């Protein structure tokens, strides 16, 4: 499969955008590129990435999101591989409003599978389109921030950003101090 790759600058460092036309296929952070490559192979088999600028239909909503328009991400068309269950979980993630969180158990119950919180967690962790498919909005049952593919500091930053908090800035500084952002 031939896909395009752009490197998008964000407050969280460089973001890798993989797309076909105006459709986003993967989004990950620069320091997690090997994981992104692994997920692409898992979902699509052999993938050839060609560097190209992201289309406005992807880049503009991302810029708007980082500028404070949290609903802008809804305009980005996403297409993923994955199992039917994974795609069901990912679709449910897109329905979580910006600035809100849900536990894995609650999300499983919303999907009509109340005993599947662990499976929901695994699907959440395999999400190839971070931020746009907002897996950062899923938290532990005790409201603790649990794993995030881009690191817990980025998850905390995204949640603070979506709540309009200026406290997101120190998290970005902390990320920079450990070399997690460019």
């Amino acid at each position: 499969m031939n896909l395009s790759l752009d490197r998008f600058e964000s407050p969280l460092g460089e973001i890798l955008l993989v797309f076909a036309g105006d459709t986003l296929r993967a989004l990950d952070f620069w320091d997690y590129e090997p994981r992104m490559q692994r997920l692409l192979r898992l979902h699509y088999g052999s993938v050839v990435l060609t560097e190209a600028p992201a289309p406005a239909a992807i880049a503009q909503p991302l810029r708007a999101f980082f500028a404070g328009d949290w609903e802008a991400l809804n305009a980005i068309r996403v297409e993923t591989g994955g199992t039917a269950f994974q795609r069901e979980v990912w679709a449910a993630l897109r329905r979580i409003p910006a600035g809100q969180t849900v536990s894995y158990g609650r999300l499983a119950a919303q999907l009509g599978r109340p005993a599947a919180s662990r499976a929901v967690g695994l699907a959440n962790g395999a999400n190839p389109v971070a931020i746009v498919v907002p897996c950062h909005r899923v938290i532990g049952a005790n409201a603790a921030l649990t794993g995030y593919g881009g690191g817990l500091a980025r998850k905390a930053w995204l949640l603070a950003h979506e709540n309009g908090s200026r406290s997101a800035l120190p998290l970005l500084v902390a990320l920079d101090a450990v070399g997690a952002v460019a």
Side-chain angles (χ1 to χ4, degrees):
M1 172 177 264
N2 293 318
L3 297 171
S4 298
L5 169 70
D6 192 11
R7 296 173 187 279
F8 181 87
E9 289 303 321
S10 83
L12 293 172
E14 186 178 77
I15 292 176
L16 306 172
L17 303 174
V18 177
F19 53 95
D22 286 348
T23 302
L24 187 63
R25 298 294 191 109
L27 182 155
D28 215 329
F29 301 99
W30 68 272
D31 48 335
Y32 289 90
E33 188 168 359
R35 180 193 57 206
M36 183 191 74
Q37 295 281 354
R38 186 180 74 253
L39 286 174
L40 287 171
R41 282 190 305 278
L42 180 65
H43 290 249
Y44 303 116
S46 179
V47 174
V48 175
L49 294 177
T50 304
E51 299 246 356
I58 295 171
Q60 286 176 352
L62 277 170
R63 281 189 203 95
F65 170 78
F66 285 114
D69 179 358
W70 300 284
E71 300 305 315
L73 297 179
N74 295 333
I76 298 176
R77 187 169 165 223
V78 172
E79 188 176 324
T80 62
T83 67
F85 178 74
Q86 287 173 325
R87 289 190 308 273
E88 182 181 1
V89 169
W90 300 334
L93 293 173
R94 288 197 89 180
R95 293 189 296 270
I96 303 169
Q100 294 185 23
T101 58
V102 65
S103 70
Y104 295 98
R106 184 166 174 213
L107 188 57
Q110 289 173 358
L111 293 170
R113 296 181 171 104
S117 61
R118 199 167 287 222
V120 165
L122 290 171
N124 194 53
N127 170 22
V129 189
I131 301 174
V132 176
V133 175
C135 51
H136 61 275
R137 295 178 187 155
V138 183
I139 59 172
N142 62 356
L145 293 186
T146 55
Y148 181 64
L152 288 181
R154 283 188 176 117
K155 181 173 187 164
W157 188 95
L158 286 162
L159 291 172
H161 174 66
E162 289 180 353
N163 281 297
S165 174
R166 293 277 184 221
S167 67
L169 182 59
L171 292 167
L172 184 60
V173 172
L175 281 168
D176 190 39
V178 297
V181 294

